[in-house]
Amino acid sequence: MGTRASIPDIVIGRLPIYLRALGRMIQEEREYTSSHELGERLGISSAQIRKDLSHFGEFGKQGTGYNVQYLYEQIRHILKVDHEWPMAVVGVGDLGRAIAHYRGFQARGFRVAALFDADPKLLGERVGNLTVLPMDQLAAETQRLGIRIAMIAVPAAEAQAVADRLIEAGVTALLNYAPISLAVPEGVHVQYIDPAAHLQHMTFYLTP
Amino acid sequence: MGTRASIPDIVIGRLPIYLRALGRMIQEEREYTSSHELGERLGISSAQIRKDLSHFGEFGKQGTGYNVQYLYEQIRHILKVDHEWPMAVVGVGDLGRAIAHYRGFQARGFRVAALFDADPKLLGERVGNLTVLPMDQLAAETQRLGIRIAMIAVPAAEAQAVADRLIEAGVTALLNYAPISLAVPEGVHVQYIDPAAHLQHMTFYLTP
DNA sequence: CTACGATTGTTATGCTATTCACATTTTCCC
DNA sequence: GGGAAAATGTGAATAGCATAACAATCGTAG
Ligand SMILES: NC(=O)c1ccc[n+]([C@@H]2O[C@H](COP(=O)([O-])OP(=O)(O)OC[C@H]3O[C@@H](n4cnc5c(N)ncnc54)[C@H](O)[C@@H]3O)[C@@H](O)[C@H]2O)c1
Ligand SMILES: NC(=O)c1ccc[n+]([C@@H]2O[C@H](COP(=O)([O-])OP(=O)(O)OC[C@H]3O[C@@H](n4cnc5c(N)ncnc54)[C@H](O)[C@@H]3O)[C@@H](O)[C@H]2O)c1
């Protein structure tokens, strides 16, 4: 195929996993891999990997497999992480700080470019190489920096209000760490990080 | 139905989301809700919620809906979070500290009960009300405390080795924050938290 | 130069998940 | 007390996804 035509969202969700594995293979200086090997590493069937990739083009060679570096670049391009996205973090508590200090985003296409908090005591404080800004500078600063993505790290009770302000400021992708589902207009994307939910998923299978 | 018989894993994965929403409704002192209202809040169809719940029993009343408190307790029971699970955190860096300080686990059925790190400089340090322990106490301490769940917050290069040690110590549920897929034996459950992967999922849909 | 093993991309098949639709039950209001 | 409105639980229908399977292709060894 190679042309889009509404590619299943679940397929898009697996591409970052493939990318992650390919990144490690590059570190290991592996030059070629196969759908079978990738599948083994990820616990996914080789057929699924080939099928997923076939939505976007033909990246492999029969008999040989995939050139690791080439496939890596292709998926980076598909996911649009072949350039760096600046992001805002709202809420500079324990979690917001850990995120702001985290060095791992850079290699995956992201950079924390602005920090916001409502607490006057935090304003002006430096975290990493950034200064914590007040919420009333949110719109101006995100627009100035071309920020389209934000991470929400405020208490659950505040998360919807913060999301609304971010969306008003032009942010269209939200990664929400607060344990609450957000209501957002069409065209705004939301993803959730809820460790307690993952834990509860696993306890179902544990014997008490 | 009400009897098990292999309930789809994807259904189990949604129960914590329902629980989260019901918890908020309890805070809001709502006494009854409906599949329709829950669905609205969560962006899920009402039919799906009814079907999911029907795997476990009949919790609602026609014409009335669901008693919020009752449904909450039922799902807590199904997920086995009607009692508290002690957990270990391995890796007391920025992220491990944020996790250790996090107050939100308690209400969802979990408690950080032990911290481990390989760095001799951190050993004995107090984080929250816990002391950082060396890795060679991992097996003894998890067993002493009855820990069956661990969160991995070490660098990716160390994560597989840490997972192996945890599994050897009898831990059977892992929440992995390191951006790498883990190989684990049958019977061990793994969930992943990878914010960069979520972000990459969203950038696919953003215009560059 | 040929034959074989490896591996892809894709089509066909089967399975799983979601939605639809409705009989049934409950509440509430006149 | 009766009828309308609201809501559940579920079987049937639809849609979506994953797996199996294979022809086509490539590299290599003899
Ligand atoms: N710490 C963790 O490990 C962890 C894990 C999972 C989820 N979470 C969730 O992440 C969120 C933050 O957690 P935390 O531990 O960092 O909490 P925290 O209380 O340490 O920090 C919250 C920060 O948000 C700021 N804030 C509050 N209201 C705001 C508003 N309206 N606008 C802007 N800023 C505002 C506060 O001033 C504070 O600095 C919470 O929703 C929590 O449930 C945290
Ligand atoms: N900080 C974040 O916001 C963030 C976000 C997402 C993912 N992560 C991931 O979480 C992990 C931890 O991140 P961090 O920022 O806290 O890193 P960090 O370097 O601050 O902390 C890592 C800790 O792990 C310890 N450690 C290293 N090897 C160990 C071993 N073999 N056994 C036990 N302990 C060991 C180190 O001593 C250190 O204290 C990384 O894999 C990172 O990619 C972090």
Side-chain angles (χ1 to χ4, degrees), chain A residues 90-97 116-120 122 135 152-159 161-162 165 176-180 193-196, chain B residues 95-105 108 177:
Chain A
V90 183
V92 189
D94 281 329
L95 185 63
R97 271 161 220 275
F116 299 93
D117 202 292
D119 185 344
L122 296 180
M135 290 300 285
I152 298 178
V154 301
E158 307 289 334
V162 165
R165 293 196 64 173
N176 181 26
Y177 282 86
I180 186 175
I193 300 228
D194 186 345
Chain B
L95 186 63
R97 272 162 219 274
I99 293 168
H101 284 126
Y102 183 48
R103 301 251 166 273
F105 286 127
R108 319 262 308 264
Y177 282 86

Side-chain angles (χ1 to χ4, degrees), chain B residues 27-149:
Chain B
Q27 289 184 335
E28 296 163 12
E29 307 194 29
R30 308 261 296 86
E31 194 172 355
Y32 279 89
T33 187
S34 65
S35 59
H36 186 78
E37 187 190 38
L38 255 178
E40 286 262 296
R41 289 214 188 192
L42 299 175
I44 289 178
S45 82
S46 62
Q48 177 146 92
I49 291 172
R50 293 199 300 279
K51 181 135 262 206
D52 284 353
L53 295 177
S54 77
H55 286 97
F56 305 98
E58 309 195 353
F59 305 115
K61 207 189 287 184
Q62 282 153 328
T64 313
Y66 303 92
N67 177 293
V68 173
Q69 186 70 50
Y70 176 74
L71 184 56
Y72 182 76
E73 296 301 344
Q74 292 300 307
I75 298 181
R76 282 192 357 133
H77 180 71
I78 293 164
L79 292 173
K80 309 202 183 88
V81 288
D82 48 359
H83 66 273
E84 204 169 81
W85 295 86
M87 298 186 297
V89 173
V90 183
V92 189
D94 282 329
L95 186 63
R97 272 162 219 274
I99 293 168
H101 284 126
Y102 183 48
R103 301 251 166 273
F105 286 127
Q106 198 92 26
R108 319 262 308 264
F110 304 94
R111 176 172 48 89
V112 177
L115 306 175
F116 298 93
D117 202 293
D119 185 345
K121 288 195 288 295
L122 296 179
L123 301 183
E125 186 180 321
R126 288 193 76 78
V127 175
N129 56 349
L130 294 171
T131 303
V132 179
L133 300 177
M135 291 299 285
D136 57 23
Q137 287 183 29
L138 197 149
E141 199 63 7
T142 52
Q143 276 154 36
R144 188 176 74 79
L145 295 166
I147 289 173
R148 316 262 304 277
I149 306 173

Side-chain angles (χ1 to χ4, degrees), chain A residues 7 9 12-13 16-17 19-20 24 41-42 56 78-81 83 85 87 94-95 98 101-102 105 108 110 148-149 151 156-157 172-175 177 179-181 189-208, chain B residues 7 9 12-13 16-17 19-20 24 41-42 56 78-81 83 85 87 94-95 98 101-102 105 108 110 148-149 151 156-157 172-175 177 179-181 189-208:
Chain A
I7 289 151
D9 183 65
I12 309 303
I17 310 304
L19 204 51
R20 207 170 68 180
R24 286 202 69 77
R41 288 214 189 192
L42 298 175
F56 304 97
I78 293 165
L79 292 173
K80 309 202 184 85
V81 288
H83 66 275
W85 295 86
M87 301 186 296
D94 281 329
L95 185 63
H101 283 126
Y102 183 47
F105 287 127
R108 321 256 315 257
F110 304 93
R148 317 261 304 278
I149 305 174
M151 302 170 109
T172 55
L174 300 172
L175 183 58
Y177 282 86
I180 186 175
S181 295
H189 303 271
V190 189
Q191 294 273 321
Y192 297 91
I193 300 228
D194 186 345
H198 285 298
L199 293 168
Q200 291 178 336
H201 188 155
M202 292 192 286
T203 51
F204 175 82
Y205 296 104
L206 300 185
T207 53
Chain B
I7 290 151
D9 183 66
I12 309 302
I17 310 304
L19 204 51
R20 208 170 66 181
R24 287 202 69 78
R41 289 214 188 192
L42 299 175
F56 305 98
I78 293 164
L79 292 173
K80 309 202 183 88
V81 288
H83 66 273
W85 295 86
M87 298 186 297
D94 282 329
L95 186 63
H101 284 126
Y102 183 48
F105 286 127
R108 319 262 308 264
F110 304 94
R148 316 262 304 277
I149 306 173
M151 302 170 108
T172 55
L174 300 173
L175 184 57
Y177 282 86
I180 185 175
S181 296
H189 303 271
V190 190
Q191 294 272 320
Y192 297 91
I193 299 224
D194 186 344
H198 286 298
L199 293 167
Q200 291 178 337
H201 189 156
M202 292 192 287
T203 51
F204 176 82
Y205 297 102
L206 300 185
T207 53

Side-chain angles (χ1 to χ4, degrees), chain A residues 25-42:
Chain A
M25 287 182 179
I26 289 171
Q27 289 183 334
E28 296 164 12
E29 307 194 30
R30 308 261 295 87
E31 194 171 357
Y32 279 89
T33 187
S34 65
S35 59
H36 185 77
E37 188 191 38
L38 255 178
E40 285 262 296
R41 288 214 189 192
L42 298 175

